[in-house]
Amino acid sequence: MSISKDIKIYVAGHRGMVGSAIVRQLNTKGFDNLVTRTHEELDLTNQQAVKDFFQEERPDQVYLAAAKVGGIHANNTYPADFIYQNLMIESNVIHQAFQFGVRKLLFLGSSCIYPKIVPQPMSEEALLTGKLEPTNEPYAIAKIAGIKLCESYNRQYGQSHGIDYRSVMPTNLYGPGDNYHPENSHVIPALIRRFHEAWKKSSPEVVIWGTGTPMREFLYVDDMAAASVFVMELDKRLYDQHTDQMQSHINVGFGSDITIRELAETVGKVIGYQGKIIFDMSKPDGTHKKLMNSYRMEAMGWKASTNLIDGLKISYQDYLRKIS
Ligand SMILES: NC(=O)c1ccc[n+]([C@@H]2O[C@H](COP(=O)([O-])OP(=O)(O)OC[C@H]3O[C@@H](n4cnc5c(N)ncnc54)[C@H](OP(=O)(O)O)[C@@H]3O)[C@@H](O)[C@H]2O)c1
């Protein structure tokens, strides 16, 4: 059954990288009755403010893409902020959505919910089978709580109130709206910045930490947004067929991974950098492989469509716009 395009949809975190891509995707699909609030207008950690917002707006659907996010350094330095703010945002939004009659909600999690040591590719069943990576454990615990909030409301109120709250776990994302901060950015925006600066200065070489052999998976953010809307719209019978009441989250990955060396070479090519790429083998590599098992998504009929080169070209244009 197709969903009416007039429904009121709240995108929480619409100015973030993922939230803004979800807004683009919804607009492309003809949903234009969107409601948004900036962080300044509505602090989602404030229970009363979230309640007032839902009472006033009464949306039909919610995409929960607001979160306190950050890299290893931020997670290590501010663990209390990461667990507290994320638990509060999720609890407030999910509970008030329920209180004010929202039947469909999509929660955005992260691949860090899976244990540090886990069979690759990481399947949904790996959740809660082992110890988490200590550096972002507080953040991951909050994200696991988000999944469990959705599942618990479905179990308790699914039948009686017709609610259907789902969650998706994205792999590493990149694309427009990314954070290019020199010390606090993910691998793709960090490489874009470094190769662009090396190209501008005609530096003979770019040095990359580690051996270049670790394998990572990357998904273009607009594909993630398409996947989010796909899961939100998915027929309930099909969703139920591929998930379990107490294991309802769905991985969203690209489907394959590449080495850091291949990634660096591809970024260099997109930027037009002609110098050498040197790997500083004395620096640590991190986990050798981190790949999502995206079998559930594929079995339900969705697959990523943007290849790395095309995604990187758009990302580079976004970076150039940001620094101009
Ligand atoms: N980026 C990735 O590679 C990636 C990978 C996997 C999963 N995810 C998940 O996707 C979701 C969105 O990530 P993102 O990359 O889009 O992050 P982002 O760019 O930092 O966006 C997060 C948004 O949430 C807002 N926000 C944070 N705290 C808030 C609060 N207390 N009240 C209201 N708004 C608040 C932020 O506003 P301010 O900036 O104004 O605070 C920002 O607009 C997260 O759940 C993340 O775990 C992202």
XYZ file of all heavy atoms in Angstrom, residues 163-228:
531
model
N 1.465 0.661 16.422
C 2.746 1.341 16.157
C 3.763 0.367 15.564
O 3.714 -0.843 15.790
C 3.338 2.025 17.405
C 3.633 0.998 18.489
C 2.470 3.157 17.899
C 4.742 1.439 19.379
N 4.692 0.939 14.813
C 5.666 0.147 14.076
C 6.963 0.958 14.004
O 7.136 1.783 13.101
C 5.056 -0.092 12.670
C 5.895 -1.016 11.822
O 6.909 -1.515 12.317
O 5.513 -1.216 10.652
N 7.835 0.778 15.004
C 9.074 1.546 15.092
C 10.237 0.658 14.640
O 10.438 -0.429 15.176
C 9.300 2.058 16.523
C 8.247 3.056 17.012
C 8.234 3.493 18.339
C 7.277 3.573 16.153
C 7.286 4.411 18.795
C 6.318 4.482 16.596
C 6.328 4.891 17.914
O 5.386 5.794 18.357
N 11.003 1.146 13.664
C 12.067 0.335 13.055
C 13.429 0.994 13.239
O 13.502 2.197 13.481
C 11.762 0.172 11.556
C 10.385 -0.442 11.320
C 10.026 -0.530 9.854
N 8.694 -1.151 9.730
C 8.090 -1.415 8.591
N 8.690 -1.136 7.451
N 6.905 -1.983 8.579
N 14.499 0.205 13.091
C 15.827 0.818 13.175
C 16.765 0.307 12.099
O 16.704 -0.860 11.714
C 16.490 0.634 14.541
O 15.900 -0.355 15.291
N 17.610 1.230 11.636
C 18.614 0.897 10.619
C 20.014 1.233 11.145
O 20.186 2.230 11.839
C 18.366 1.668 9.294
C 17.254 1.018 8.498
C 18.085 3.138 9.520
N 20.977 0.367 10.817
C 22.358 0.551 11.282
C 23.269 0.796 10.081
O 23.619 -0.149 9.358
C 22.851 -0.718 12.013
C 22.001 -1.120 13.201
S 21.913 0.157 14.474
C 20.137 0.430 14.544
N 23.617 2.065 9.851
C 24.464 2.348 8.692
C 25.931 1.990 8.921
O 26.437 2.073 10.040
C 24.359 3.865 8.522
C 23.410 4.363 9.549
C 23.225 3.289 10.570
N 26.614 1.627 7.843
C 28.066 1.499 7.861
C 28.669 2.912 7.833
O 27.955 3.900 8.009
C 28.533 0.664 6.644
O 29.924 0.445 6.760
C 28.246 1.363 5.322
N 29.985 3.045 7.567
C 30.603 4.377 7.463
C 29.979 5.144 6.299
O 29.917 4.617 5.189
C 32.098 4.257 7.166
C 32.810 3.417 8.191
O 32.748 3.690 9.374
N 33.472 2.362 7.737
N 29.563 6.372 6.572
C 28.912 7.174 5.533
C 29.831 8.308 5.097
O 30.690 8.755 5.854
C 27.606 7.763 6.076
C 26.597 6.747 6.610
C 25.428 7.465 7.275
C 26.106 5.827 5.501
N 29.617 8.791 3.880
C 30.342 9.973 3.395
C 29.431 10.688 2.408
O 28.470 10.102 1.890
C 31.666 9.568 2.727
C 31.474 8.845 1.414
C 31.579 9.533 0.199
C 31.115 7.504 1.373
C 31.362 8.881 -1.018
C 30.891 6.856 0.172
C 31.015 7.548 -1.018
O 30.781 6.907 -2.206
N 29.751 11.953 2.150
C 28.956 12.693 1.170
C 28.734 14.123 1.612
O 29.358 14.590 2.574
N 27.855 14.847 0.912
C 27.599 16.250 1.250
C 27.207 16.404 2.717
O 26.476 15.575 3.260
C 26.413 16.624 0.344
C 26.450 15.631 -0.770
C 27.043 14.383 -0.218
N 27.722 17.452 3.342
C 27.394 17.707 4.746
C 28.366 17.048 5.699
O 28.211 17.118 6.915
N 29.407 16.398 5.162
C 30.384 15.717 6.016
C 31.190 16.748 6.807
O 31.197 17.942 6.500
C 31.335 14.876 5.142
C 31.649 13.540 5.793
O 31.604 13.474 7.028
O 31.951 12.587 5.068
N 31.878 16.232 7.826
C 32.691 17.092 8.687
C 34.159 16.970 8.255
O 34.724 15.882 8.297
C 32.468 16.607 10.138
C 33.526 17.072 11.098
O 34.213 18.060 10.856
N 33.665 16.355 12.207
N 34.757 18.100 7.840
C 36.137 18.073 7.314
C 37.156 18.615 8.327
O 38.241 19.019 7.946
C 36.202 18.887 6.011
C 35.320 18.321 4.931
C 34.020 18.787 4.741
C 35.769 17.294 4.108
C 33.195 18.254 3.757
C 34.957 16.746 3.118
C 33.669 17.232 2.961
O 32.858 16.692 2.000
N 36.775 18.606 9.591
C 37.658 19.130 10.639
C 39.007 18.403 10.594
O 39.051 17.176 10.487
C 36.979 18.904 11.999
C 37.650 19.626 13.115
N 38.722 19.093 13.794
C 37.411 20.840 13.647
C 39.116 19.949 14.706
N 38.330 21.022 14.641
N 40.144 19.149 10.701
C 41.460 18.503 10.554
C 41.731 17.384 11.568
O 42.403 16.403 11.232
C 42.461 19.646 10.720
C 41.684 20.861 11.052
C 40.232 20.604 10.842
N 41.264 17.525 12.825
C 41.580 16.462 13.802
C 40.409 15.536 14.092
O 40.602 14.479 14.661
C 42.000 17.077 15.157
C 43.388 17.650 15.188
C 43.314 19.164 15.276
O 42.558 19.665 16.118
O 44.005 19.835 14.492
N 39.221 15.941 13.741
C 38.062 15.223 14.249
C 37.125 14.778 13.121
O 35.931 14.921 13.217
C 37.324 16.171 15.220
C 36.378 15.406 16.116
O 36.452 14.182 16.207
N 35.463 16.118 16.733
N 37.724 14.241 12.031
C 36.844 13.832 10.931
C 37.064 12.361 10.614
O 38.081 11.773 10.979
C 37.099 14.695 9.699
O 38.450 14.677 9.358
N 36.099 11.762 9.915
C 36.211 10.365 9.498
C 37.205 10.247 8.342
O 37.658 11.243 7.805
C 34.838 9.845 9.071
C 33.876 9.712 10.213
N 32.573 10.115 10.129
C 34.044 9.227 11.465
C 31.965 9.883 11.290
N 32.839 9.349 12.112
N 37.494 8.999 7.952
C 38.592 8.780 7.012
C 38.387 9.468 5.655
O 39.314 10.121 5.156
C 38.946 7.269 6.888
C 37.778 6.419 6.514
C 40.072 7.029 5.901
N 37.196 9.387 5.052
C 37.029 9.977 3.711
C 37.161 11.503 3.731
O 37.979 12.050 2.977
C 35.724 9.504 3.024
C 35.904 8.030 2.623
C 35.363 10.397 1.833
C 34.824 7.441 1.761
N 36.428 12.215 4.607
C 36.627 13.681 4.599
C 38.064 14.078 4.955
O 38.591 15.057 4.418
C 35.623 14.194 5.638
C 35.135 13.003 6.379
C 35.322 11.827 5.487
N 38.719 13.289 5.832
C 40.103 13.599 6.197
C 41.007 13.449 4.966
O 41.890 14.286 4.708
C 40.578 12.681 7.322
N 40.793 12.389 4.175
C 41.621 12.175 2.980
C 41.344 13.253 1.934
O 42.277 13.757 1.294
C 41.356 10.790 2.378
C 41.926 9.587 3.149
C 41.485 8.282 2.498
C 43.451 9.648 3.224
N 40.076 13.630 1.774
C 39.736 14.673 0.787
C 40.499 15.956 1.140
O 41.138 16.578 0.292
C 38.204 14.930 0.751
C 37.500 13.737 0.096
C 37.875 16.240 0.028
C 35.983 13.833 0.041
N 40.461 16.300 2.404
C 41.127 17.528 2.838
C 42.642 17.451 2.586
O 43.242 18.357 2.037
C 40.837 17.724 4.330
C 41.323 19.021 4.875
C 41.207 19.019 6.389
N 41.798 20.242 6.869
C 41.090 21.304 7.213
N 39.795 21.281 7.183
N 41.694 22.405 7.600
N 43.235 16.311 2.976
C 44.697 16.189 2.867
C 45.160 16.150 1.416
O 46.155 16.772 1.049
C 45.181 14.974 3.648
C 45.032 15.292 5.129
C 45.550 14.279 6.054
N 46.830 13.768 5.715
C 47.200 12.531 6.027
N 46.377 11.741 6.659
N 48.401 12.121 5.727
N 44.445 15.407 0.572
C 44.844 15.356 -0.835
C 44.612 16.703 -1.518
O 45.399 17.122 -2.357
C 44.094 14.235 -1.575
C 44.766 12.899 -1.408
C 44.281 11.962 -0.516
C 45.903 12.591 -2.140
C 44.901 10.737 -0.346
C 46.536 11.362 -1.983
C 46.031 10.434 -1.086
N 43.542 17.388 -1.146
C 43.286 18.693 -1.753
C 44.407 19.669 -1.364
O 44.929 20.388 -2.220
C 41.932 19.247 -1.292
C 41.707 20.659 -1.742
N 41.340 20.965 -3.032
C 41.862 21.851 -1.097
C 41.262 22.278 -3.152
N 41.574 22.836 -1.996
N 44.795 19.650 -0.082
C 45.845 20.569 0.361
C 47.178 20.228 -0.307
O 47.924 21.117 -0.718
C 45.951 20.558 1.894
C 44.792 21.358 2.477
C 44.659 21.291 3.982
O 45.463 20.580 4.636
O 43.735 21.945 4.513
N 47.467 18.921 -0.435
C 48.718 18.495 -1.090
C 48.704 18.920 -2.568
O 49.715 19.374 -3.108
C 48.868 16.985 -0.970
N 47.545 18.776 -3.212
C 47.408 19.157 -4.631
C 47.642 20.670 -4.795
O 48.355 21.107 -5.690
C 46.006 18.768 -5.104
C 45.617 19.327 -6.433
C 45.970 18.845 -7.662
C 44.824 20.494 -6.664
N 45.432 19.632 -8.647
C 44.719 20.658 -8.059
C 44.183 21.416 -5.822
C 44.014 21.706 -8.637
C 43.479 22.461 -6.401
C 43.401 22.596 -7.791
N 47.034 21.436 -3.862
C 47.139 22.890 -3.951
C 48.583 23.360 -3.791
O 49.040 24.252 -4.489
C 46.273 23.512 -2.837
C 45.533 24.738 -3.301
C 44.518 25.190 -2.298
C 45.092 26.246 -1.381
N 44.203 26.574 -0.291
N 49.314 22.693 -2.853
C 50.696 23.102 -2.578
C 51.693 22.373 -3.476
O 52.895 22.503 -3.291
C 51.043 22.762 -1.120
C 50.354 23.645 -0.109
C 50.921 23.330 1.278
C 49.864 23.410 2.334
N 49.943 22.426 3.375
N 51.215 21.540 -4.368
C 52.052 20.660 -5.208
C 53.030 19.857 -4.363
O 54.201 19.693 -4.732
C 52.828 21.480 -6.244
O 51.948 22.199 -7.044
N 52.603 19.365 -3.214
C 53.468 18.543 -2.352
C 53.823 17.250 -3.090
O 52.949 16.649 -3.720
C 52.767 18.158 -1.054
O 52.227 19.286 -0.449
N 55.086 16.799 -2.971
C 55.483 15.587 -3.705
C 54.873 14.311 -3.126
O 54.802 13.303 -3.820
C 57.010 15.575 -3.575
C 57.308 16.413 -2.376
C 56.208 17.421 -2.253
N 54.482 14.350 -1.848
C 53.921 13.119 -1.263
C 52.872 13.409 -0.199
O 52.857 14.463 0.415
C 55.041 12.243 -0.676
C 55.824 12.940 0.411
C 56.992 12.100 0.908
O 57.719 11.546 0.060
O 57.164 12.006 2.134
N 51.990 12.409 -0.021
C 51.014 12.451 1.072
C 51.296 11.229 1.936
O 51.419 10.118 1.413
C 49.562 12.396 0.533
C 48.571 12.139 1.652
C 49.200 13.692 -0.177
N 51.453 11.454 3.253
C 51.745 10.327 4.149
C 50.458 9.893 4.844
O 49.726 10.707 5.392
C 52.815 10.714 5.202
C 53.089 9.547 6.142
C 54.099 11.158 4.510
N 50.206 8.583 4.782
C 49.002 8.027 5.408
C 49.431 7.070 6.512
O 50.349 6.266 6.316
C 48.167 7.266 4.348
C 47.950 8.206 3.180
C 46.904 6.660 4.958
C 46.647 8.380 2.634
N 48.762 7.170 7.651
C 49.094 6.314 8.796
C 48.749 4.851 8.521
O 47.690 4.566 7.965
C 48.294 6.753 10.019
C 48.941 7.891 10.753
C 49.753 8.855 10.219
C 48.818 8.177 12.151
N 50.129 9.728 11.195
C 49.574 9.336 12.401
C 48.141 7.576 13.216
C 49.688 9.908 13.652
C 48.241 8.143 14.477
C 49.022 9.291 14.690
N 49.647 3.951 8.952
C 49.371 2.510 8.882
C 49.844 1.899 7.571
O 50.499 2.554 6.750
N 49.497 0.626 7.410
C 50.006 -0.130 6.258
C 49.146 0.044 5.006
O 49.547 -0.376 3.918
C 50.015 -1.633 6.605
O 48.653 -2.021 6.880
C 50.866 -1.945 7.826
N 47.976 0.572 5.161
C 47.064 0.723 4.010
C 46.292 -0.552 3.722
O 45.476 -0.593 2.804
N 46.520 -1.616 4.527
C 45.855 -2.903 4.224
C 44.497 -3.108 4.924
O 43.737 -3.972 4.495
C 46.771 -4.096 4.574
O 47.103 -4.008 5.966
C 48.037 -4.094 3.742
N 44.177 -2.360 6.017
C 42.856 -2.590 6.614
C 41.734 -2.369 5.597
O 41.861 -1.535 4.700
C 42.775 -1.544 7.730
C 44.161 -1.202 8.053
C 44.922 -1.331 6.762
N 40.659 -3.133 5.772
C 39.548 -3.059 4.820
C 38.370 -2.347 5.482
O 38.028 -2.641 6.624
C 39.118 -4.465 4.424
C 40.262 -5.351 4.083
S 40.328 -6.032 2.449
C 39.021 -5.564 1.500
N 37.770 -1.435 4.754
C 36.625 -0.685 5.267
C 35.534 -0.574 4.197
O 35.814 -0.617 3.008
C 37.053 0.729 5.694
C 37.979 0.778 6.908
C 37.280 0.362 8.194
N 38.178 0.465 9.334
C 38.994 -0.496 9.753
N 39.043 -1.660 9.112
N 39.771 -0.317 10.816
N 34.317 -0.365 4.701
C 33.156 -0.254 3.820
C 32.629 1.182 3.879
O 32.590 1.772 4.967
C 32.083 -1.221 4.325
C 30.812 -1.225 3.518
C 29.743 -2.134 4.128
O 29.775 -2.367 5.358
O 28.880 -2.594 3.370
N 32.229 1.733 2.757
C 31.742 3.118 2.724
C 30.466 3.213 1.899
O 30.391 2.659 0.795
C 32.809 4.034 2.107
C 34.103 4.005 2.869
C 35.155 3.202 2.442
C 34.261 4.741 4.028
C 36.347 3.144 3.149
C 35.451 4.695 4.751
C 36.497 3.894 4.306
N 29.519 3.949 2.452
C 28.227 4.115 1.768
C 27.964 5.604 1.570
O 28.128 6.409 2.502
C 27.128 3.480 2.632
C 25.710 3.529 2.091
C 25.551 2.617 0.864
C 24.710 3.079 3.173
N 27.549 5.950 0.375
C 27.229 7.342 0.059
C 25.952 7.743 0.807
O 24.978 6.988 0.840
C 27.042 7.476 -1.455
C 26.781 8.871 -1.910
C 27.707 9.890 -1.666
C 25.621 9.191 -2.592
C 27.465 11.179 -2.081
C 25.375 10.488 -3.015
C 26.296 11.471 -2.752
O 26.055 12.756 -3.153
N 25.964 8.927 1.426
C 24.889 9.281 2.366
C 23.508 9.346 1.704
O 22.494 9.034 2.339
C 25.225 10.582 3.142
C 25.142 11.816 2.248
C 24.341 10.746 4.366
N 23.450 9.707 0.421
C 22.124 9.751 -0.221
C 21.582 8.332 -0.444
O 20.361 8.135 -0.462
C 22.164 10.553 -1.526
C 22.193 12.051 -1.217
O 23.161 12.499 -0.564
O 21.257 12.775 -1.597
N 22.470 7.360 -0.576
C 22.017 5.962 -0.617
C 21.454 5.566 0.748
O 20.460 4.857 0.849
C 23.176 5.013 -0.976
C 23.463 5.006 -2.481
O 22.768 5.718 -3.226
O 24.388 4.285 -2.899
N 22.117 6.047 1.811
C 21.620 5.751 3.165
C 20.234 6.359 3.359
O 19.343 5.728 3.946
C 22.598 6.326 4.209
C 22.189 6.038 5.630
S 22.097 4.260 5.929
C 20.670 4.155 7.003
N 20.052 7.566 2.869
C 18.743 8.223 2.988
C 17.689 7.452 2.199
O 16.568 7.250 2.677
C 18.846 9.667 2.489
N 18.073 6.980 1.005
C 17.130 6.191 0.195
C 16.775 4.910 0.944
O 15.611 4.492 0.981
C 17.748 5.877 -1.162
N 17.780 4.302 1.582
C 17.532 3.073 2.350
C 16.596 3.361 3.525
O 15.724 2.549 3.854
C 18.854 2.501 2.860
N 16.763 4.518 4.153
C 15.933 4.875 5.311
C 14.463 4.997 4.898
O 13.578 4.456 5.564
C 16.398 6.207 5.918
O 17.743 6.109 6.323
